[in-house]
Amino acid sequence: MMILVINPGSTSTKMAVFEDEKPILLRTINHSAEELAPFEDVLEQKDFRRQLVLDELQRADIPINFDAVIGRGGLVKPLEGGVYEINTLMVRDTLSGIAMHNHACNLGCLIAYEIAEQIDDCRSFIADPGVVDELNDYARISGSPLMKRICIWHALNQRAIARRYAAGIGKEYEDLNLIICHMGGGISIAAHQKGRAVDANNALDGEGPFSPERAGSLPASDLIRLCFSGKYTEKQLLKRVAGQAGLNAHLGTNDVKEIIRRIEVEGDEQAKLILDAMIYHVAKNIAAEAAVLCGEVDAILLTGGLARSEYIVSQLRRRIGFLGHVYCFPGEDEMGALALNALAVLRGKRQAKVYS
């Protein structure tokens, strides 16, 4: 089975070609600010990014003849976890503006669908998008009936890491209670109870620990006053929640390696305070998920790009080690996870769900 995988991010488009489980092409196409400047809206980048993917395939001398094309799922509306066959309703919803956020991941289904449509007997899918919602009833309720809690999290990578861990100990993901923390530009923390993520934060714009680029939970009354202060536009304040927030806002960079260099080489006490504060809030939120699972925690799994940092992981272990065994899976496995999800459907081992 030949599978094309497409994973659009804010400043890059990752792509891969798999022959069954084996990757035969892995590419990251970076997009400069100058290249993206002409596009007023993320969705306007669709044709530009699709052509770059096709050009890369041509350079690698790979025929555009796939059994499936799978894209990173967008932020259209809350869904159950699983693999979804892309249909015209999903495409229409993505283009209509129903999407919860104008994020580059929304391009994944559009590009996958358009490429697959040009190939005979080729199917197109998404899998475990960031809006997978399996929250328990308590988790949905906030302190105001005007607003209910939603989750936007790294569902694809968290599920892939959970299954990898389970396989490594000879068990099934559905048999375990896990707390998984994905640490990247955003930080998502979820309680996985016997195969369902019953609690997870909105890691994109407004809940949980602050991260390299995002503000996390904020003092509500101060935020309201800031909104009515007249100092900022709505667009500027949204950037102060996601993008120009977190470590970036405090220290002028989202590069954790640079921040640790400042701490270790320059003795920068302010940098140490802010980074340690982020780690503190991550640990606090991980511990909160232990309460969701009533203390029945089989393991805590750390993943994402920041899990490569010995400083961050060691500090987290010090704070959360009492909860149970802590295991580290640095980086992410999204491309392989997407390919394996598509392969499972093609082989009849998993049923593709219908978006409706």
Side-chain angles (χ1 to χ4, degrees), residues 31-265:
H31 312 305
S32 67
E34 291 75 21
E35 285 179 310
L36 299 182
F39 304 104
E40 293 186 10
D41 185 88
V42 166
L43 294 180
E44 293 178 6
Q45 300 172 18
K46 172 175 65 68
D47 294 343
F48 165 73
R49 295 200 191 210
R50 184 190 66 236
Q51 189 58 50
L52 289 175
V53 169
L54 296 175
D55 291 345
E56 203 64 43
L57 292 171
Q58 185 177 31
R59 273 192 288 273
D61 198 27
I62 294 177
I64 301 173
N65 185 22
F66 301 101
D67 297 285
V69 185
I70 185 165
R72 181 182 179 188
L75 306 178
V76 178
K77 62 184 179 182
L79 298 169
E80 285 189 347
V83 184
Y84 287 81
E85 191 131 17
I86 302 172
N87 57 22
T88 53
L89 178 59
M90 185 187 296
V91 171
R92 187 163 66 244
D93 280 356
T94 303
L95 292 171
S96 71
I98 194 176
M100 298 165 70
H101 292 276
N102 190 21
H103 191 279
C105 64
N106 294 326
L107 296 169
C109 82
L110 300 177
I111 297 174
Y113 182 78
E114 290 188 1
I115 292 177
E117 281 289 284
Q118 303 304 311
I119 304 170
D120 291 338
D121 299 321
C122 181
R123 301 171 71 181
S124 57
F125 306 104
I126 64 167
D128 285 329
V131 288
V132 166
D133 182 347
E134 299 167 345
L135 300 183
N136 65 43
D137 292 338
Y138 304 117
R140 299 181 194 281
I141 298 172
S142 78
S144 170
L146 298 176
M147 293 168 278
K148 71 174 184 178
R149 289 187 67 242
I150 64 168
C151 55
I152 300 177
W153 57 295
H154 302 89
L156 180 64
N157 189 53
Q158 286 207 23
R159 278 255 160 77
I161 294 302
R163 293 188 188 281
R164 189 201 299 180
Y165 169 74
I169 62 170
K171 294 190 176 182
E172 297 293 329
Y173 164 55
E174 290 76 12
D175 296 330
L176 300 172
N177 285 350
L178 304 169
I179 299 172
I180 307 181
C181 176
H182 178 111
M183 299 179 289
I187 295 175
S188 66
I189 302 167
H192 296 249
Q193 187 173 46
K194 310 298 184 189
R196 292 181 64 84
V198 296
D199 194 278
N201 63 306
N202 174 356
L204 181 61
D205 65 351
E207 196 180 43
F210 70 86
S211 74
E213 298 177 354
R214 294 163 196 173
S217 300
L218 293 169
S221 57
D222 288 344
L223 180 60
I224 292 169
R225 293 188 189 99
L226 197 60
C227 290
F228 286 89
S229 68
K231 295 179 180 179
Y232 303 95
T233 65
E234 178 184 1
K235 188 174 181 180
Q236 288 172 329
L237 281 175
L238 287 172
K239 279 286 188 182
R240 294 298 181 107
V241 170
Q244 298 170 4
L247 299 180
N248 205 12
H250 282 287
L251 300 173
T253 181
N254 61 3
D255 187 341
V256 171
K257 288 182 180 178
E258 165 61 17
I259 293 169
I260 291 175
R261 187 198 66 78
R262 292 183 194 176
I263 295 170
E264 295 179 346
V265 177

